[in-house]
Amino acid sequence: MKSFFCSFYTYCAAITGLLSFSSGAYASYPDGYYDSLNGKCGRQLMLAIKAAVGNHHVISYGTDTWNAFKDTDVRRINGTDYWWDMYSNELVQVSSGHPGLNIEHSVANSWWGKTKNDAYKDIVHLNPSNADANSRKGNYPLAELASVTWTNGVTSIGKAKSGQGGNASVCYEPCDEYKGDFARVFMYMFTIYDDISWKDNTAWMYDTSSSLMFKPWASSLLLRWSADDPVSDKERNRNDGIYRNQNNRNPFIDLPDLAEHIWGAKASVPYSVNGGGSDPGTDPGTDPGTDPDTQQLSYRWLKESDSNQGDWTFENIVMPSAASYIWSWKQYNGLGYLNSSAYINNTPYQAEAYAWSPTVSFANVKTATLSFSHAAKFQTTLRDKCKLVVKDADSGNISEIDLPSWPTAGSWTFADCKNIDLSRFAGKNVKIGFKYASSSQGADTWEIRNVNLDLTRVTSSIFMPLSPEEEDDSFLVEVWGRNIIVPDGADIFDLNGRKFDGNDLNPGIYIVVKPSFRKAVKVIIK
């Protein structure tokens, strides 16, 4: 299902054609509510968010929580109200009470010692949950799973992929539909409650010694989930319900680009509420070279100012018995770099090892370029054996890429390797990496830093080729109640890539596609 969804999403997500049918519209945040965030980034932006929304009305845990859930976590299906459970597909009618359901803390309350403080009662991270799924989830951290030991199709439990999980033996992964929801909740919780007594024995995702709270692997995961699963009407409506009951909002729902200005590529760029997260000193609409149908994304890794390799991971394939590592993070004269070598005690050894970035989604990517700096004083087998590599995170296939330029031999002077085209990997989830290899005839030392990945992602106006024999008949798509009427040959999918016949649909977003459509049609059923 995952590989199908990725190709499907690349094909027709982010569409300009839109049919929206709703009995009401969601509210928005009050004028001036977030003005205090202007001009801030990084830790200062976190503090400003906390000051703006942290002082809220605290709801008593229990009966009052369930009453609030009636305003935040109810979905209507065929005229009947059900609790909106993000942990299972079980449907429990609101009118029946809440049999078999728990109040679930998405950020486990054991992580701060189960103290029944404001965080314990904050409905931003409380949800109705199937009791069995709640029990299975336990207090495990979020992660993408390499192997699954239990699943109900919505919540999955198992072992985390390499580089994730913070060394937890068990993790849990929500379904794609809710990954962004949970990511934005975690961002809120660790911003608003950064100063409570987080416990050391559950510090898989967080680091209380860091001013930004998250471990690098965790912030990378949450940022990616938030980008891949954008804010939905469900979240907006829930945020409005939270505001009515708790008198505050989750700003990462109202302003999802905030996260990049704290943990992402724009962490040093001051935020502007009215400018959509641009530098307040610039006018985002004045750049004649900006395509309104694209989004620019940048990843900045292994910076010379970093104290460690961050969320990059190392994989040893051939390790000499004389070595304890191949890749390591080192510093010289206060500047950091990634170092690889199998030259030990004046002897070259055969070795093979990889350094991997966190997974990056190339969904809807139009252009992708990579640049970095590297140095190598001694170059015997280096240029033949050491490569830039890209791994398909789903299949595990590795592509080797020859470098267009190398540093001059004979010194440790860093040279730039610029504008390497990676657009051929569009539509995949990938890891960027470097392969170090050596032999008994030559084991050179390779140093790398300041790795920059720049993506241009298509966000709208996805045109699809017309069949030569057919005219565009997308205008025939219609909605009657909860049914979508389509012309012959058209298919209906939800955003998880699941196919539907169009009859008696649940509330949500659906995509209608057909080879004759010039644009896919996006339909919202509410």
Side-chain angles (χ1 to χ4, degrees):
M1 181 65 74
K2 181 178 288 186
S3 60
F4 169 77
F5 170 67
C6 288
S7 60
F8 164 79
Y9 191 81
T10 303
Y11 180 62
C12 66
I15 317 296
T16 54
L18 172 65
L19 302 177
S20 178
F21 301 86
S22 173
S23 58
Y26 59 84
S28 61
Y29 56 86
D31 289 342
Y33 188 71
Y34 293 120
D35 284 357
S36 60
L37 310 187
N38 282 319
K40 298 178 177 64
C41 57
R43 175 61 179 171
Q44 294 306 309
L45 183 54
M46 288 182 73
L47 293 173
I49 292 171
K50 181 175 180 176
V53 305
N55 185 22
H56 59 272
H57 170 66
V58 179
I59 297 173
S60 298
Y61 184 87
T63 301
D64 288 348
T65 309
W66 284 107
N67 288 334
F69 282 165
K70 292 178 181 178
D71 212 14
T72 60
D73 292 271
V74 172
R75 63 195 307 178
R76 176 162 291 184
I77 302 175
N78 298 329
T80 301
D81 287 340
Y82 298 89
W83 297 111
W84 200 316
D85 177 4
M86 296 200 299
Y87 296 90
S88 83
N89 280 321
E90 296 296 324
L91 292 178
V92 177
Q93 293 186 25
V94 174
S95 60
S96 69
H98 38 82
L101 297 177
N102 294 154
I103 299 173
E104 168 61 353
H105 295 77
S106 60
V107 178
N109 63 317
S110 64
W111 289 8
W112 65 83
K114 298 187 178 181
T115 302
K116 295 184 178 181
N117 52 14
D118 290 354
Y120 181 85
K121 306 167 188 175
D122 195 327
I123 59 173
V124 170
H125 83 128
L126 302 181
N127 303 97
S129 169
N130 171 269
D132 184 40
N134 181 17
S135 176
R136 300 274 188 171
K137 168 189 170 289
N139 70 344
Y140 305 139
L142 291 167
E144 292 168 325
L145 303 182
S147 60
V148 175
T149 57
W150 179 88
T151 185
N152 61 6
V154 179
T155 298
S156 298
I157 309 299
K159 183 176 177 57
K161 290 182 178 180
S162 175
Q164 298 186 24
N167 295 319
S169 58
V170 182
C171 297
Y172 90 93
E173 180 177 3
C175 65
D176 291 345
E177 181 181 357
Y178 299 131
K179 284 179 177 174
D181 304 51
F182 285 118
R184 288 177 279 273
V185 166
F186 271 61
M187 292 171 182
Y188 167 94
M189 290 297 292
F190 282 92
T191 297
I192 305 306
Y193 300 105
D194 62 328
D195 55 354
I196 63 176
S197 299
W198 299 98
K199 298 302 180 183
D200 293 338
N201 62 343
T202 55
W204 300 298
M205 297 186 69
Y206 56 85
D207 179 2
T208 55
S209 67
S210 168
S211 62
L212 300 182
M213 290 301 291
F214 289 121
K215 290 185 174 180
W217 78 265
S219 59
S220 176
L221 178 74
L222 298 178
L223 285 169
R224 180 158 51 81
W225 281 6
S226 184
D228 291 348
D229 176 27
V231 174
S232 63
D233 285 347
K234 170 197 180 299
E235 287 180 90
R236 296 186 186 99
N237 291 330
R238 186 173 198 274
N239 215 17
D240 295 337
I242 290 169
Y243 188 63
R244 288 189 290 271
N245 287 268
Q246 200 167 266
N247 200 32
N248 77 331
R249 306 178 66 85
N250 183 349
F252 297 102
I253 293 174
D254 291 331
L255 307 169
D257 55 340
L258 271 177
E260 283 290 337
H261 292 260
I262 299 174
W263 300 285
K266 298 180 181 179
S268 59
V269 178
Y271 188 74
S272 172
V273 174
N274 295 327
S278 303
D279 186 327
T282 64
D283 179 359
T286 59
D287 182 1
T290 300
D291 184 348
D293 292 336
T294 62
Q295 174 190 32
Q296 305 298 320
L297 295 176
S298 298
Y299 296 84
R300 300 293 180 255
W301 295 308
L302 308 177
K303 298 188 293 293
E304 62 184 28
S305 58
D306 290 345
S307 59
N308 55 54
Q309 76 269 15
D311 45 11
W312 279 58
T313 56
F314 303 144
E315 179 184 11
N316 297 315
I317 306 300
V318 178
M319 171 77 82
S321 58
S324 57
Y325 60 87
I326 301 297
W327 288 98
S328 64
W329 182 261
K330 293 188 176 181
Q331 288 189 321
Y332 181 76
N333 287 338
L335 300 178
Y337 59 93
L338 202 59
N339 184 89
S340 58
S341 179
Y343 190 77
I344 305 165
N345 295 328
N346 298 319
T347 303
Y349 288 89
Q350 181 183 1
E352 183 179 338
Y354 294 85
W356 293 114
S357 77
T359 302
V360 178
S361 171
F362 272 38
N364 301 326
V365 161
K366 182 179 180 181
T367 65
T369 57
L370 184 81
S371 302
F372 62 94
S373 299
H374 58 154
K377 182 176 181 179
F378 307 104
Q379 301 182 24
T380 56
T381 61
L382 182 82
R383 297 194 184 200
D384 291 332
K385 292 184 174 294
C386 296
K387 308 285 184 181
L388 171 69
V389 288
V390 177
K391 178 191 284 188
D392 185 322
D394 296 316
S395 69
N397 293 332
I398 296 175
S399 301
E400 294 188 354
I401 300 172
D402 290 327
L403 296 182
S405 62
W406 288 87
T408 301
S411 75
W412 291 114
T413 302
F414 278 83
D416 292 334
C417 191
K418 295 183 176 180
N419 301 323
I420 302 170
D421 184 9
L422 301 181
S423 58
R424 60 174 156 149
F425 300 100
K428 300 180 181 294
N429 293 316
V430 305
K431 289 177 179 284
I432 310 299
F434 296 96
K435 174 187 177 181
Y436 177 87
S438 60
S439 71
S440 58
Q441 284 71 49
D444 305 318
T445 298
W446 193 17
E447 300 177 349
I448 299 167
R449 66 186 178 201
N450 298 332
V451 179
N452 300 328
L453 174 65
D454 295 293
L455 306 178
T456 301
R457 182 172 287 168
V458 178
T459 58
S460 62
S461 299
I462 304 297
F463 288 87
M464 297 182 294
L466 284 173
S467 172
E469 297 82 15
E470 296 182 279
E471 295 184 357
D472 182 3
D473 53 355
S474 59
F475 66 92
L476 295 175
V477 176
E478 298 182 28
V479 173
W480 294 88
R482 295 187 181 277
N483 303 314
I484 303 177
I485 312 301
V486 301
D488 289 342
D491 293 313
I492 303 169
F493 300 91
D494 69 5
L495 293 185
N496 287 320
R498 295 173 296 195
K499 189 174 180 180
F500 291 84
D501 62 11
N503 297 319
D504 196 21
L505 296 168
N506 290 333
I509 298 174
Y510 297 87
I511 306 296
V512 183
V513 296
K514 183 183 175 183
S516 62
F517 288 3
R518 187 173 296 275
K519 297 179 184 178
V521 179
K522 180 179 179 182
V523 181
I524 298 178
I525 300 293
K526 293 187 178 180

